[in-house]
Amino acid sequence: MGVYMWNTFCPTLFGTGALKEVGNKAKELGMNRIMVCTEQALCEFGVATQVIDVLKETGLDVFVFDKCKADAPSNICDEGAAYVREHAIDGIVAVGGGSTLDTAKAIGIIISQNGLTIRDYYGIGEAEHKMKLITLSTTSGTGSEISQWAVIGDVETGAKEMPVYKPDMAIVDPVLTYSLPAGPTAATGMDVLAHCVEAIANKNYNPYGYIFGKEGIRLTLKWLPIAVNEPQNAEARENMSLAANLGGMAISACGCQIGHSFSQTFGAQNHIPHGLGCAWGLPGVIQYTAQYGERKNLEAVADAMDIASAAYPDTMQLAQVLIARMVDLMKELKIKSIRDSGFSLEDCMLAADRFAHDGAFGNSPGAPGMKEIRDYIEYTYTVY
Ligand SMILES: [Fe+2]
């Protein structure tokens, strides 16, 4: 089976009520003057405030930077780093969706490199780590709370960049997801499914990716529809938080592939929420894997979906069964199609040139060139 790297780099405190420990954990990490890196709406709707209150009750100095936005724009990352210096911050607690957690990672990079802008550090690994970071996710989706990647939207080029900064601790408390509306719950949940499937069905085989990915798929299929229909269902929210965390670990082991390339190129061009773009891209991942990848990967996905792959010895036939299950799920979750969202096939094709520059693309099976990319996009546009 070969030799595999498995890096359990991010301690994770998981469970309903876990956020009550954020003050103690910040102290243990040596934080005194904390920047809470978050979104304005999360303060207004009393989500981030739950974390802020605990930090204050613990006696820590708290400064709130609430300018984070979707797509983690590079200029907001730079603003956050200036805010850290202005207030002599010695630790960051990030509360929000994936873009907010990624913004906090980018700020950590800028400060650690004694720099001014994240634009100078897109290509570097994590050479320095001078700013402690605790991450708390308010969605069950990206797995960003435990991943090393910061997906940044460059405001000048429009490209998605992926510099690296590892959180020092993740606190996963499903309570923070209770107020997430049905639409974003569905889209971020589909991102979980995309992580799990793409981690299994790419060319970086790793048994950890299989184990985490399969359980993430199983949990998502069972609990996502319930979380969407019953936002306050504690059991559903907790299981989706676990699924998201497993998905994050699966892609930490193996990475994503062509579906995320679609979301991160077409999505960046049209400001599509990451999870929605991943949902749209997912059926095509199965089709593409059936054409260019390994059957054993689709069998693992089928097993997690409780579909007996032995009944479908023809791999393309197996793929169609898996795709039908995913399309049914998207319909059940009332996810709009690309077409119904107002985009033409030509709009989608405009992303094709950027696929090769996307960080996930190199994990795709086979050796995809422009023809394979265009075929994938056409299938993706027409299948749902
Ligand atoms: Fe994702």
Side-chain angles (χ1 to χ4, degrees):
M1 290 174 57
V3 176
Y4 307 102
M5 170 62 81
W6 175 239
N7 187 347
T8 55
F9 59 77
C10 185
T12 303
L13 188 70
F14 183 96
T16 301
L19 74 87
K20 292 190 173 67
E21 287 299 312
V22 65
N24 294 331
K25 294 302 177 189
K27 273 188 173 175
E28 285 173 23
L29 288 169
M31 298 182 182
N32 295 292
R33 294 171 65 80
I34 293 173
M35 178 171 95
V36 171
C37 184
T38 189
E39 301 151 41
Q40 194 176 5
L42 291 175
C43 293
E44 290 170 359
F45 291 107
V47 179
T49 44
Q50 297 176 56
V51 177
I52 292 166
D53 289 348
V54 174
L55 291 168
K56 286 181 175 172
E57 285 162 14
T58 318
L60 295 158
D61 291 329
V62 180
F63 302 83
V64 179
F65 178 77
D66 65 357
K67 295 186 176 178
C68 295
K69 291 180 181 170
D71 299 328
S74 54
N75 60 327
I76 301 293
C77 303
D78 301 346
E79 258 191 68
Y83 187 96
V84 164
R85 292 195 173 101
E86 183 185 339
H87 295 90
I89 299 296
D90 60 15
I92 301 175
V93 173
V95 186
S99 293
T100 294
L101 307 189
D102 291 350
T103 299
K105 292 175 192 173
I107 294 168
I109 294 170
I110 299 167
I111 296 298
S112 296
Q113 298 290 334
N114 298 314
L116 292 174
T117 173
I118 190 62
R119 304 192 76 231
D120 289 337
Y121 306 114
Y122 290 151
I124 66 164
E126 188 176 352
E128 299 282 347
H129 189 103
K130 294 179 181 168
M131 180 60 63
K132 297 289 187 192
L133 171 61
I134 296 177
T135 52
L136 295 101
S137 180
T138 57
T139 67
S140 294
T142 65
S144 174
E145 70 276 5
I146 54 116
S147 85
Q148 65 268 50
W149 296 297
V151 183
I152 304 302
D154 188 287
V155 292
E156 292 190 28
T157 66
K160 294 273 187 179
E161 304 285 351
M162 293 174 69
V164 167
Y165 199 77
K166 298 170 184 171
D168 295 278
M169 168 163 279
I171 298 179
V172 181
D173 189 336
V175 169
L176 291 173
T177 70
Y178 285 4
S179 58
L180 193 67
T185 297
T188 52
M190 289 301 296
D191 189 23
V192 175
L193 202 54
H195 291 161
C196 294
V197 171
E198 292 183 39
I200 290 171
N202 75 38
K203 59 187 183 189
N204 304 321
Y205 173 78
N206 181 312
Y208 297 96
Y210 258 55
I211 292 164
F212 294 133
K214 285 179 71 173
E215 185 60 8
I217 292 168
R218 194 187 66 77
L219 287 171
T220 303
L221 292 179
K222 179 172 181 183
W223 293 105
L224 179 56
I226 300 172
V228 167
N229 292 319
E230 302 170 31
Q232 300 283 326
N233 185 312
E235 194 177 7
R237 290 296 195 181
E238 186 163 283
N239 277 290
M240 279 311 301
S241 292
L242 178 58
N245 203 244
L246 294 175
M249 293 203 280
I251 56 171
S252 291
C254 301
C256 299
Q257 55 137 311
I258 196 166
H260 266 65
S261 300
F262 178 73
S263 181
Q264 290 172 174
T265 55
F266 179 67
Q269 286 176 332
N270 297 286
H271 300 289
I272 305 295
H274 175 78
L276 182 58
C278 291
W280 289 341
L282 186 53
V285 170
I286 298 293
Q287 169 82 2
Y288 179 88
T289 304
Q291 287 174 288
Y292 304 107
E294 295 193 41
R295 179 181 167 89
K296 70 170 186 184
N297 293 342
L298 294 184
E299 288 178 348
V301 173
D303 190 38
M305 296 172 99
D306 218 11
I307 292 168
S309 54
Y312 307 98
D314 180 86
T315 300
M316 290 308 292
Q317 196 186 8
L318 172 62
Q320 295 315 307
V321 174
L322 302 182
I323 289 164
R325 179 73 177 84
M326 288 175 185
V327 167
D328 285 348
L329 178 64
M330 285 199 277
K331 286 179 183 166
E332 183 182 356
L333 298 177
K334 299 184 173 60
I335 290 175
K336 264 190 181 180
S337 68
I338 308 177
R339 191 189 314 252
D340 290 347
S341 299
F343 297 103
S344 66
L345 177 58
E346 290 68 33
D347 294 331
C348 297
M349 285 296 179
L350 293 175
D353 288 341
R354 293 187 173 218
F355 269 50
H357 304 290
D358 179 72
F361 187 65
N363 303 326
S364 308
M370 194 50 69
K371 179 188 181 304
E372 288 78 15
I373 293 169
R374 292 179 70 86
D375 287 350
Y376 164 85
I377 292 174
E378 185 168 358
Y379 183 81
T380 293
Y381 186 77
T382 51
V383 70
Y384 177 65

